Amino acid sequence: MTPVLVYPEALVLALPAALAWWVWCRTRPARWLEAAVLALVVLAAAGPRTAALRGGSDVVLVLDRSESMGPERLEQQELVELVARQRGPGDRLAVVVVGEQAQVAMAPEGEGSVRLADQRVGPDGTALAAGLRAASSMIGAGRSGRVVVHSDGEHTGRDPRGAAAGLAYRGVPVDVLSVPRRGEVDAAVVDVELPELLRLGESFIGAARLISDRRETRSWRVLRGRTEIASGTVELEPGRAAVIDFADRPTSPGLTRYAVELEDEDDARPANNRARAALRVRPGERVLVMGGAGEPGNLATALRAAGMAVVCIGEGRIELADLLGCRVAVLEQVPASALGRRGMEDLAAWVEHLGGGLVLTGGRRSFGSGGYHRSPVEPVLPVTLELRDEHRKLSLALAMVLDRSGSMAMPVGGGARTKMDLANAGAVAALELLSPLDDAAVIAVDSSPHLVIPMGALTDPASAAATIRSIESMGGGIFVGVGLKAGGQQLRRSSKGTRHLVLFADANDAEQPGDYRDLLADFATAGITVSVIGLGTPADADAGLLRDIAKLGGGRCHFADTAVELPRLFAQETVLVARTAWVDDTVRLRPDPRLLAVLGRHDAWEQGWPAVAGYNLVYARARADTLVHAPGDPPGPAVASWRIGTGRSAALAIEVDGPASGELLDWSGYVPLVAGITRWCAGADEADIGSLRSRRIGRMVTTTLELDPAHRERWPVAAPDLVLVGGGDRRVAMLPVEDGVYAATWRLDNTEPVLPSVALPDGEGRSALLGAAQVLPYSPEARPRYGRPPGTAVLENVAMLSGGAVRGDLLDVFANPPSPGRAVDLAPWLVIIALIGVLAEVLQRRLRLQPRLRRRRGKAENAIAAPAAKQPTTPDQAVPPTPASEAAAEPPSEGLGGGLHDALRELRRRR
């Protein structure tokens, strides 16, 4: 840390600086401060520098956590601990883990280690080049270092040898601790070729390419879904791909999945012996009706009477493949929980981006009562499901008991949010549905209750929401009994007619319920109801306890298999307990003039409209068309429709087939109404003004849009976006290639089928142009090694290019040259100190601090000497004359008689 001077010759400036000080500053009051400023400026000109982080070295471990590493991944924690114990003074260790992406698990640290089990990197890839680049960024300027790679070298993505060359340029060697793979024979399915699109009833001929690195005979088969459609044997030879053909006629529309399988006995990599592919089959005018047990009811019968092809299924999970097989999906009293989170996301994307049609019918298990508020489906509906204060009929006291145990600290979906964050968001979603007339309390529970929001009216909702979002997991488990007791105590403080408690707990970690049966019996006597939201599934260890609590509490038990569902479930429970989502009054429907514009004229519209025994309270969106009104108290739309993205949706907020249908089922306009709404939602066919084609190389896909010049008037004004549905919906900007041609490159992140789509202008709205489904045949980690150098050879090249070594162990990894340290320039700091000195000197002169101090000191000295100078005199005693020399040495007296100098000084003093 000894400073050095970069320009020592600049010290010669000290001579003119000293001369200037002697001439102009030596008599000034702040002469020593000015001398220090000049000295600092001269020293700064000499360029003083020092070195930081000198000594020791940095070692970065790059650990391959991909699937191909097998059991060797279990040894990596021990390797980290071994290297961490070797650190000496000044040494630092960093860790980078590599899978589908590279992630810094530990920044350079002089002590401590990292727990690899907490690191989440996808195992279906080895981004070794990205790991080396991340390691390079960990070794800062002035630090000597070494990178050590533990891998089998079977990389995916960019070649790691380029990153190794970059480290060599910086003088950082890369040592490799290679894990050799087994040398058994590997046969693989390289690719599967299918048509891009078929119409229902058409047949096709597909093909698959197979390879092996030895001469052999293998069995193969082709599956459509789980049905075998072709099989046989094939002769494989090294250096040549064998092609097999198969024919098929898909039996149903939608997304049909195929798989080509090779016999995998004694195969080094069985994962690449099964390749996936998908084919889209156009549905025609096909309607999917979901509801109940799947038996055809009055609604399905009416649609068939109108000439539509109707398929009925029971309520349950729904997938994109099912939706692509129809033009319209009709959900007849299907609660949101039956569809599942993924199903709702696919349904919304199918409507908005793929041109699908959705009809949601009403009832006590639909709309807000069915849990669609804050769900992925709500944004594509033509109505909103909030509870407006002016329409609330009951005031509510709501207590929410939130599990903040250790399990709530786990991250969700590999992102920054934890389970606790989403539980907090759920509590906030519930509070947003309350009004100033309601009371609310929030309690966080681990082994004891912690009152976050005391029971009372929400006078400041924003502040309450911020307080709830700050709840953090504090470890331990959740004691259910004390949480229920604390929530009940808060509810007893409220006088509201409806008092409800919502318990949120981990279905695998709900402990210490205590005597909850007696406690819930007391709650029932006091008019307190209890519902439970469990994070997990009904099969989890403590799910039975949570169901029992909800049953004895007179409420409901909801299970969220993913934490993302929590805000929706909290909102659903609040809507249900508020009891305003379903209006249980008989009203006579009233048509709106816009009905004719959407559905056309019909004789039934001119006759009397039926009365129904209730309706869902919803609110039409600004762009939606209200076709039929429910003029109750409060009034609301009974039928509403709109266009959303490339699709259409309609809301029938009345029960169309059930006890609350009233006179609707016997009305002559029943079939024209439900069939007309369904046919309108079917909309037009796919856009026909161009083609959307894709080409895949590995994970990367390039999609090209070519527009038909014959329909130039329908071309989009600007470059459209490419919407990718499935496997994690996302949007990619397309770039113009030439006139009427656009392209975009995107990445397949998993083996789920992805359907590319582009929205193009179509009359009043937009229509969807769909491309062929894109599927990764298998994980890139399992791609055949045929024609590629072995992983060990790649690692040896990495070590050679960077000046590293192939290691057999990780001993003496810190035996590197000591770090020279990072140069730190001291000149800016010296200049800053000098400027502070100049500022201090200016302040001293402006405020005249030194002259005042000097005058005060002179007055004090005169006061001390005055008694000795004052002596009594008589007329006879004459004062001897003062010699001229003494008069000259006597200090001038104050006043204007002391000469010009004293006069000016006195003038300045008076000013």
Side-chain angles (χ1 to χ4, degrees), residues 472-602:
E472 296 181 355
S473 171
M474 303 300 288
I478 177 174
F479 285 19
V480 173
V482 297
L484 290 173
K485 185 176 180 181
Q489 290 173 348
Q490 291 296 312
L491 286 170
R492 292 176 191 273
R493 296 174 53 188
S494 175
S495 59
K496 302 299 182 184
T498 301
R499 294 184 289 180
H500 190 67
L501 187 151
V502 177
L503 170 67
F504 164 69
D506 193 327
N508 260 325
D509 189 25
E511 305 172 339
Q512 302 292 331
D515 193 2
Y516 69 93
R517 291 183 174 87
D518 290 344
L519 180 61
L520 293 173
D522 292 341
F523 282 2
T525 303
I528 297 173
T529 55
V530 179
S531 290
V532 177
I533 297 176
L535 182 58
T537 67
D540 288 340
D542 298 317
L545 169 64
L546 300 183
R547 282 195 297 265
D548 198 32
I549 291 174
K551 180 180 179 181
L552 295 175
R556 293 151 293 276
C557 185
H558 312 271
F559 287 100
D561 53 0
T562 62
V564 179
E565 281 284 84
L566 293 178
R568 183 187 68 81
L569 291 177
F570 272 92
Q572 178 184 1
E573 183 60 28
T574 307
V575 169
L576 289 173
V577 75
R579 297 175 184 163
T580 55
W582 171 261
V583 180
D584 200 5
D585 296 333
T586 299
V587 296
R588 186 167 299 277
L589 301 179
R590 189 182 70 209
D592 190 275
R594 283 174 285 190
L595 177 69
L596 300 179
V598 175
L599 299 186
R601 187 172 298 277
H602 194 275

Side-chain angles (χ1 to χ4, degrees), residues 116 158 170 176 213 254 263 281 352 373 384 467 474 637 644 672 839 848:
L116 296 179
R158 294 186 177 181
R170 294 189 55 196
V176 296
D213 47 14
E263 176 189 358
V281 182
E352 185 172 4
H373 182 54
T384 63
T467 303
M474 303 300 288
I644 175 68
L839 180 61
R848 303 202 56 78

